[in-house]
Amino acid sequence: MSLPDLDLNRRILVLYVGGTIGMRASPDGLAPQRDLPAALAAHLGPWAESLPLYSIQSAVDPIDSADAAPEDWLTIARFIAERHGRYDGFVVLHGTDTMAYTASALGFMLAGIDVPVILTGAQVPLEVEGSDALENVVSALTFAACPSLAGVGLAFDGVLYRGCRTTKVSSSDFAGFDSPNHPPIARLLPVPAMDLAALQRPDGTEPGFTIPDHLDARVLSLRAVPGLPTAVLDAILDMAPQGLIVECYGSGTVPRLDGHMQVFLERAVRRGIVTVALSQALHGGIRLGAYAAGSALARAGVMDGRDMTFEAAYTKLHFLLAQDLPPVMARTLFTRNLIGEIRD
Ligand code: ASP
């Protein structure tokens, strides 16, 4: 291991909140178990000499991350914030299905944190032969013990990504995550390396966390699809969301639907719904106004989500809307780069 500054005396707290990594077969299929800490400690035994000091805790009720809700992001953020100062780094063992959402949400709530918070999980349970669990935990512990790293990252298959830039790209490959519009921060394989430009370094200032009391805003999404029924647009307005993500095609086009889309978007913006456009394409983000078929978005005053992932945009809306900011402030902050989640 030759990352520049791995420090084996760092104290790392590992928290299991659920996911395949700690699951076992049940009559209904794989389900999370609370005894992961003991099993993991036994598996990590032979690695002890090359790992930092760590302790492992399990949530009382680990879940399949499909069941995760914004309140769970809050619970994890509070857990870390309450223990910040007592540990030199944190590892969160999480289900892969919604890990990118949690990584993004923690990034916003723990902005400025001066130690690494590394999320990881596995495609195959720890106790199943050929599992990727141990390798991912060892990688996460290694990254969590690097004093020059700070902020929320996601480690998978030997690669460390900026958490708020990640998305799940495979439900079976060990390389399950990618950071499509941002380079990885570090990798252990094939050769240990760090991208110093991508690094978030502790700057010596005391972090000030913003952990809202509740994360219960209504945030909806509208995915552009060929043949989109206009009744869907009416149903969205009837639900009176506070935030709306329009998932456009390519660089920012949507079906015009004989003018219905324009009317819908204008109503949404006029009603104060924080309305954002993102691209369905994995790479490149959107450029509002590039095509006539996307002009309705710009004309209505929909915000340009540029190259944000869906996960980052969704959690950012929750984070901002929870703070009861005046809508104009929420809109301004949404387009601002808060934690490296969006191209400047
Ligand atoms: N369904 C699981 C979860 O997200 C999948 C996994 O962990 O890989 O909790």
Side-chain angles (χ1 to χ4, degrees):
M1 176 63 235
S2 61
L3 282 180
D5 61 347
L6 172 65
D7 177 355
L8 297 182
N9 291 317
R10 307 277 283 184
R11 290 153 304 144
I12 312 298
L13 181 58
V14 181
L15 172 68
Y16 174 57
V17 297
T20 296
I21 190 166
M23 287 191 184
R24 288 223 191 85
S26 79
D28 293 331
L30 290 172
Q33 306 294 323
R34 284 182 52 191
D35 56 3
L36 180 73
L40 186 56
H43 279 83
L44 285 171
W47 295 76
E49 300 231 314
S50 54
L51 291 176
L53 311 169
Y54 62 85
S55 50
I56 313 173
Q57 294 185 20
S58 172
V60 181
D61 49 354
I63 57 171
D64 190 303
S65 76
D67 289 325
E71 287 294 318
D72 296 302
W73 310 333
L74 273 182
T75 305
I76 301 171
R78 286 193 193 114
F79 179 91
I80 293 172
E82 280 160 14
R83 287 155 185 81
H84 173 256
R86 282 194 268 148
Y87 292 90
D88 302 308
F90 296 88
V91 169
V92 180
L93 305 179
H94 194 289
T96 61
D97 289 342
T98 65
M99 194 190 297
Y101 289 88
T102 303
S104 299
L106 291 181
F108 293 117
M109 290 188 279
L110 302 176
I113 193 162
D114 50 359
V115 297
V117 176
I118 312 291
L119 285 87
T120 195
Q123 300 281 35
V124 178
L126 174 74
E127 310 264 39
V128 172
E129 206 181 320
S131 169
D132 53 338
L134 198 56
E135 208 175 301
N136 284 342
V137 175
V138 168
S139 302
L141 281 168
T142 304
F143 293 130
C146 288
S148 63
L149 285 172
V152 180
L154 188 155
F156 222 80
D157 199 34
V159 183
L160 178 65
Y161 304 98
R162 182 170 289 179
C164 59
R165 286 291 195 157
T166 56
T167 193
K168 182 172 174 175
V169 292
S170 175
S171 58
S172 56
D173 287 356
F174 284 178
F177 285 85
D178 198 2
S179 167
N181 292 315
H182 194 271
I185 295 173
R187 63 175 78 243
L188 296 176
L189 298 168
V191 185
M194 266 196 190
D195 176 354
L196 293 179
L199 216 60
Q200 282 172 291
R201 287 173 180 280
D203 63 4
T205 53
E206 196 53 35
F209 304 141
T210 309
I211 304 180
D213 291 336
H214 296 284
L215 281 178
D216 52 7
R218 269 186 314 285
V219 179
L220 301 182
S221 77
L222 169 67
R223 187 172 177 90
V225 288
L228 181 73
T230 54
V232 171
L233 308 181
D234 299 334
I236 287 177
L237 290 179
D238 286 348
M239 287 184 70
Q242 293 149 283
L244 175 66
I245 300 174
V246 183
E247 297 180 74
C248 308
Y249 300 124
S251 49
T253 57
V254 282
R256 281 178 268 200
L257 307 175
D258 293 328
H260 280 88
M261 184 60 85
Q262 177 79 56
V263 172
F264 163 74
L265 293 171
E266 278 169 6
R267 277 200 192 132
V269 172
R270 216 178 311 121
R271 288 182 192 184
I273 302 171
V274 183
T275 309
V276 186
L278 291 184
S279 177
Q280 294 175 21
L282 195 55
H283 295 272
I286 59 167
R287 285 180 305 281
L288 276 192
Y291 289 89
S295 58
L297 294 152
R299 267 205 304 273
V302 172
M303 282 181 298
D304 185 339
R306 307 205 280 278
D307 61 346
M308 255 187 283
T309 60
F310 182 89
E311 293 88 334
Y314 184 77
T315 54
K316 191 173 182 178
L317 282 173
H318 272 282
F319 173 70
L320 294 175
L321 291 167
Q323 295 174 53
D324 291 328
L325 304 165
V328 65
M329 177 73 103
R331 286 173 59 87
T332 306
L333 287 176
F334 187 87
T335 50
R336 203 171 281 169
N337 180 7
L338 301 182
I339 53 165
E341 77 284 5
I342 188 171
R343 176 180 74 220
D344 278 318

